[in-house]
Amino acid sequence: MREGSLEAPTRHPLDWQNPEFYDEEKLDAELRRVFDICHGCRRCFNLCDSFPRLFDLVDAAPSEELDTVASSDFKSVVDACTLCDLCFMTKCPYVPPHPFNLDFPHLMLRYRATDVKNGEGSFVDRQLAETDRNGKLVGLVAPIANFATSTGNTLSRNILEKVAGLDAQAELPKYASTPLTSQARATTPEINREAPGFGRKAVLYATCFNNYNDPSGGLAARAVLARNGVETEVVHPHCCGMPMLEQGRIGEVAKSAKIVAKALNEWIDKGYDVIALVPSCALMLKFEWPLILPGDADIKKLSSGTFDLSEYVVDIARKNGIAPGMEPIAGGVSLHIACHSRAQNMGQKATEMLKLLPQADVQVMERCSGHGGAWGFKKGNFDVAKKVGRPVARTAGNGGKAYVTSECPLAGVHISQGIDALGTDKPKPALVKHPIQLIARAYGIEV
Ligand code: SF4
Ligand code: SF4
């Protein structure tokens, strides 16, 4: 639920194919209009670092108003935005249908898209966003790559920091030697034909993270769904384009969207539901792509046929009942609700899912972890990401639970690093990569 408004936010399509979208004078006028409203409001002062940067600029300006802030200073505000969507979804009373028509994250995206149009995007960042290509190549040498990118390997991490701008302290995702899609082809879980969800069929959109970095969440999802009678297939036609979106490369996101929609719609036509294993990717399929390609029938169909993983498990539980056989998870869990789960406007599905556990003991943390996708790995951003994420790390570190988990795989690791940085002598909760793995454990399935 959003503060200050009873109406659900609506979002206008991104006008990225209109040359005026990239007109610098018009962009500057829109930035000044929106920033002035934010300066008068200031509700979002503690959501991230973008707003404090904006308010500091205004407060330090000669007139203490936006009119004496130089436009060149706006870049620092844009640079701090992780596109988490929290301001839009949870705070702002001025989003459409309000006549102020304020969409702060999409304005930050427009600024970045204009930079890219002007040739200002970084070559290295562009390469890092090639998650499919990188996953396939690095997976071939996964053990060496994982050794080289470990934070304990200061020599290679310092080189990586200089060459690629990745902060030497940031925990980077490891790579898997065998992608999730290959592992899934090799092992088909036995479907429980007595389970309440029997008869459902779902195709799991693997996502780059589960496919190339850590297939364990996808395997756990598959096993839990099989226990509940759901027949599944795992596919990964292409990246959803979120890393490109973060950089403002909207045209490239549109290309990814068309490839994935064509492939997944073939499954929908065969009677399968689509489940995206990472909330950011689910957000792309469900909401961002229809705003980028509003007239595309394939995108529309996929959007309405797609579920977030936690949402799907809760849907089974509500409509069919959850399969019996779970044992309690001792010690309780601190659950971080991913920003891009909140942005899907579906309620706290991960909380509902973990409350299916017998004797569920769940501490919910509904603030941003600070990481913000690939943004949080970068030199210059990682320290900001730690600062923004400190409240969540403190809650998890001091919460006294045995486990900490997040639906966002990057957020979970970042929170775990944040707990280390607290330096408390309390026992550290063990990181579980995705809440579905706790459900799997409760069923006695170890993945
Ligand atoms: S989208 Fe997130 S990071 Fe960006 S301005 Fe809004 S709250 Fe801050
Ligand atoms: S985004 Fe909305 S709620 Fe946040 S500071 Fe700006 S006007 Fe206020």
Side-chain angles (χ1 to χ4, degrees):
M1 170 63 76
R2 217 153 28 99
E3 291 176 15
S5 175
L6 294 176
E7 283 184 276
T10 57
R11 227 164 186 180
H12 297 312
L14 277 158
D15 201 17
W16 64 282
Q17 299 190 77
N18 180 350
E20 289 194 5
F21 188 77
Y22 309 96
D23 181 306
E24 289 185 42
E25 266 182 44
K26 290 196 164 73
L27 171 60
D28 189 65
E30 180 63 357
L31 286 162
R32 288 187 176 276
R33 182 186 80 85
V34 167
F35 286 178
D36 205 32
I37 296 169
C38 292
H39 158 49
C41 162
R42 300 203 175 204
R43 277 169 201 243
C44 294
F45 72 98
N46 64 352
L47 282 187
C48 61
D49 216 43
S50 279
F51 292 100
R53 288 184 189 190
L54 171 61
F55 303 147
D56 285 351
L57 284 174
V58 175
D59 295 343
S63 65
E64 296 183 20
E65 295 292 343
L66 199 69
D67 59 349
T68 48
V69 176
S71 296
S72 55
D73 288 338
F74 292 166
K75 185 161 173 30
S76 70
V77 177
V78 179
D79 284 348
C81 174
T82 64
L83 299 182
C84 75
D85 276 344
L86 284 192
C87 52
F88 184 89
M89 293 304 300
T90 69
K91 285 273 179 202
C92 190
Y94 306 126
V95 300
H98 191 284
F100 282 1
N101 187 23
L102 201 148
D103 186 335
F104 199 100
H106 275 183
L107 183 56
M108 302 298 98
L109 180 58
R110 181 177 170 191
Y111 187 108
R112 288 180 190 169
T114 305
D115 269 359
V116 168
K117 197 84 163 177
N118 292 335
E120 288 173 32
S122 139
F123 172 78
V124 173
D125 286 352
R126 172 74 185 71
Q127 301 314 309
L128 291 172
E130 286 282 359
T131 44
D132 274 319
R133 182 203 59 194
N134 299 346
K136 283 177 197 152
L137 287 177
V138 182
L140 298 173
V141 290
I144 299 167
N146 293 340
F147 171 72
T149 57
S150 151
T151 46
N153 197 334
T154 44
L155 177 66
S156 51
R157 286 304 302 266
N158 285 338
I159 294 170
L160 204 55
E161 184 174 293
K162 285 205 173 58
V163 175
L166 299 171
D167 193 301
Q169 303 300 315
E171 195 80 55
L172 298 177
K174 303 286 179 242
Y175 281 87
S177 300
T178 311
L180 172 61
T181 43
S182 307
Q183 294 193 35
R185 269 195 298 275
T187 53
T188 304
E190 194 184 329
I191 310 294
N192 179 1
R193 306 177 76 86
E194 308 298 319
F198 181 68
R200 287 181 181 239
K201 292 192 290 186
V203 61
L204 309 187
Y205 172 50
T207 73
C208 294
F209 184 87
N210 279 274
N211 205 36
Y212 304 117
N213 297 113
D214 186 350
S216 63
L219 295 172
R222 214 170 176 223
V224 167
L225 291 170
R227 186 65 69 95
N228 278 277
V230 185
E231 179 193 321
T232 55
E233 299 286 342
V234 183
V235 298
H236 186 64
H238 202 274
C239 170
C240 72
M242 179 56 96
M244 295 290 182
L245 190 77
E246 283 178 11
Q247 295 180 21
R249 300 178 190 277
I250 304 173
E252 293 176 59
V253 180
K255 280 186 204 154
S256 299
K258 286 187 175 179
I259 295 168
V260 179
K262 187 169 181 301
L264 291 181
N265 278 334
E266 287 174 11
W267 290 96
I268 291 178
D269 290 342
K270 288 190 273 186
Y272 283 72
D273 300 316
V274 174
I275 303 175
L277 294 177
V278 170
S280 299
C281 312
L283 180 71
M284 293 294 275
L285 272 61
K286 288 161 84 173
F287 296 108
E288 292 290 0
W289 289 355
L291 296 173
I292 290 171
L293 292 166
D296 190 306
D298 269 358
I299 300 282
K300 202 170 173 184
K301 179 168 149 186
L302 176 60
S303 164
S304 52
T306 298
F307 291 80
D308 182 272
L309 173 58
S310 306
E311 180 186 23
Y312 196 76
V313 174
V314 169
D315 191 65
I316 296 173
R318 278 190 187 170
K319 292 185 181 149
N320 311 107
I322 200 79
M326 282 193 271
E327 295 291 332
I329 296 287
V333 54
S334 290
L335 167 68
H336 170 250
I337 304 293
C339 300
H340 286 165
S341 297
R342 296 179 76 182
Q344 289 175 57
N345 215 11
M346 60 186 179
Q348 284 186 12
K349 292 296 183 244
T351 309
E352 283 184 59
M353 183 173 77
L354 286 188
K355 291 210 165 156
L356 296 169
L357 291 166
Q359 298 163 35
D361 175 11
V362 185
Q363 168 182 253
V364 179
M365 305 176 294
E366 223 190 354
R367 282 183 71 127
C368 182
S369 75
H371 198 278
W375 179 92
F377 295 133
K378 291 181 68 181
K379 182 78 187 153
N381 291 347
F382 183 63
D383 286 340
V384 178
K386 278 200 300 191
K387 184 179 95 177
V388 174
R390 203 166 292 133
V392 171
R394 212 177 281 131
T395 306
N398 296 329
K401 306 294 182 200
Y403 301 100
V404 60
T405 190
S406 171
E407 295 167 285
C408 170
L410 303 183
V413 174
H414 187 63
I415 294 166
S416 185
Q417 270 202 293
I419 296 171
D420 290 336
L422 294 175
T424 65
D425 49 11
K426 298 200 170 158
K428 186 182 170 187
L431 175 64
V432 175
K433 303 280 181 57
H434 190 286
I436 195 75
Q437 284 165 292
L438 289 167
I439 301 289
R441 273 188 211 180
Y443 277 124
I445 306 165
E446 276 303 332
V447 180

